[in-house]
Amino acid sequence: MTPSLDDLLDGLHVVALPMRIRFRGIDVREVALIEGPVGWGEFGAFVEYGPAEAAHWLAAGVEAAYVASQAPRREWIPVNATVPAVEPARVPEVLARFPGAGTAKVKVAEPGQTLADDVARVDAVRALVPIVRVDANGGWTVAEAATACAALTADGPLEYVEQPCATVPELAELRRLVDVPVAADESIRKADDPLHVVRSKAADIAVVKVAPLGGVERLLEIAAQIDIPIVVSSALDSAVGMSRGLLAAACLPDLRHACGLGTGGLFVEDVTEPVAPQNGRLRVGAVVPDPARLSVLAVSPVRRNWWVERIRACHPLIS
């Protein structure tokens, strides 16, 4: 049952989390947190998303706050380090925030940068972490992706390349051209039919995220229909949203790869005391924000009203 709009707004806290490094073009991450009868949920759809897309994120936050969760199958989740499009000299500083990580995801195809920049960054990461995956966020054409895969594997293998091209047909074409495994992210979380990419044999690995898919239960329903390995990842979540990703990963019957759920290290401040990975793993468990941090990190009245109006627009779409 969907809570009333008044109930949602009564338990609403909107915070701004400053970031250590610009990521996805963001220096400060705003999210709305919902306090409900069974816990805390997060509504953090990126600001450029319209109501139809953002409603999935609100549904995920409502599920966390109002619906009891199933029991996890595992207590700890291996997580990858996340390396934004930084200069190679900054790579050790970034990786230091992910102690024990045996896998790193490296951002590539950043606007304004070159393939040579990507190669230098990946090589700097490879010198410190044994397993490297890259994420292009759909930034390449098929030809560019094929060239990039060759250049990025010249000095060592890649676990996979995530969303190298924007469309499902392009991913399928690239798979026929390269030996590097292809992972799909946006082609699943932003698609009207999240399973289309799998049916089209356009990916070797499916990257799934709780909030864009509408919640943990919806993610698990989709995962049950996917016959390729699953990686649960973050949508630049606060500690509250991250706990839901960890729960989803903990409920999967099979988990073969490190998950992208360690991005809390990218924030200067979060709504709880920062929790660093232990031996490259994070513990599964509910998160309760620190009231003092909610107060310190609260957005301005103008920004809070913007989020309130956004929830008003999305709420009818999840009812």
Side-chain angles (χ1 to χ4, degrees):
M1 179 178 177
T2 302
S4 70
L5 180 60
D6 287 342
D7 284 344
L8 282 183
L9 297 181
D10 282 345
L12 187 70
H13 301 262
V14 185
V15 295
L17 309 179
M19 302 193 64
R20 298 179 187 278
I21 299 170
R22 175 181 285 259
F23 189 78
R24 202 187 172 279
I26 296 171
D27 295 303
V28 178
R29 176 73 163 121
E30 288 187 355
V31 298
L33 303 179
I34 302 163
E35 185 177 9
V38 303
W40 286 78
E42 177 173 319
F43 172 47
F46 295 115
V47 295
E48 67 270 22
Y49 291 179
E53 187 170 0
H56 298 292
W57 299 61
L58 182 58
V62 168
E63 176 196 68
Y66 285 84
V67 181
S69 303
Q70 62 178 275
R73 297 169 181 257
R74 51 188 70 84
E75 184 180 0
W76 292 87
I77 303 299
V79 297
N80 65 248
T82 299
V83 181
V86 297
E87 297 176 357
R90 297 194 65 186
V91 164
E93 165 202 339
V94 174
L95 291 178
R97 302 190 194 108
F98 304 91
T103 301
K105 181 171 84 169
V106 185
K107 179 70 177 73
V108 294
E110 181 80 357
Q113 296 189 3
T114 66
L115 179 56
D117 296 324
D118 293 338
V119 170
R121 185 181 314 111
V122 167
D123 285 346
V125 173
R126 190 178 277 128
L128 298 171
V129 177
I131 301 173
V132 179
R133 55 181 68 155
V134 299
D135 183 6
N137 290 118
W140 291 322
T141 65
V142 173
E144 289 169 340
T147 298
C149 285
L152 292 168
T153 55
D155 294 322
L158 291 176
E159 183 185 26
Y160 59 74
V161 55
E162 182 174 329
Q163 200 68 43
C165 307
T167 70
V168 171
E170 287 176 318
L171 295 182
E173 181 181 352
L174 181 66
R175 281 190 76 215
R176 296 191 291 268
L177 297 176
V178 301
D179 293 328
V180 180
V182 173
D185 174 11
E186 286 88 345
S187 291
I188 296 174
R189 67 179 169 88
K190 294 177 73 70
D192 292 334
D193 177 4
L195 298 174
H196 174 56
V197 68
V198 178
R199 286 197 298 268
S200 301
K201 300 188 182 304
D204 301 283
I205 293 163
V207 179
V208 293
K209 301 179 180 180
V210 168
L213 292 177
V216 171
E217 292 304 318
R218 177 59 178 152
L219 182 151
L220 295 174
E221 289 173 7
I222 291 171
Q225 301 173 66
I226 292 176
D227 60 359
I228 58 177
I230 300 287
V231 172
V232 181
S233 193
S234 157
L236 204 54
D237 306 316
S238 77
V240 170
M242 196 68 69
S243 70
R244 300 298 289 177
L246 290 167
L247 175 64
C251 291
L252 288 170
D254 187 31
L255 191 64
R256 305 183 204 174
H257 299 273
C259 288
L261 298 169
T263 54
L266 299 177
F267 296 124
V268 176
E269 296 285 347
D270 206 334
V271 295
T272 63
E273 188 71 25
V275 177
Q278 297 182 34
N279 298 318
R281 304 180 304 163
L282 286 172
R283 185 188 291 272
V284 179
V287 166
V288 177
D290 178 350
R293 289 173 180 262
L294 290 178
S295 177
V296 169
L297 297 169
V299 297
S300 69
V302 170
R303 290 305 302 162
R304 176 183 169 80
N305 186 64
W306 186 90
W307 281 92
V308 167
E309 293 306 312
R310 194 180 199 196
I311 290 172
R312 289 186 193 279
C314 293
H315 183 262
L317 303 179
I318 67 168
S319 300

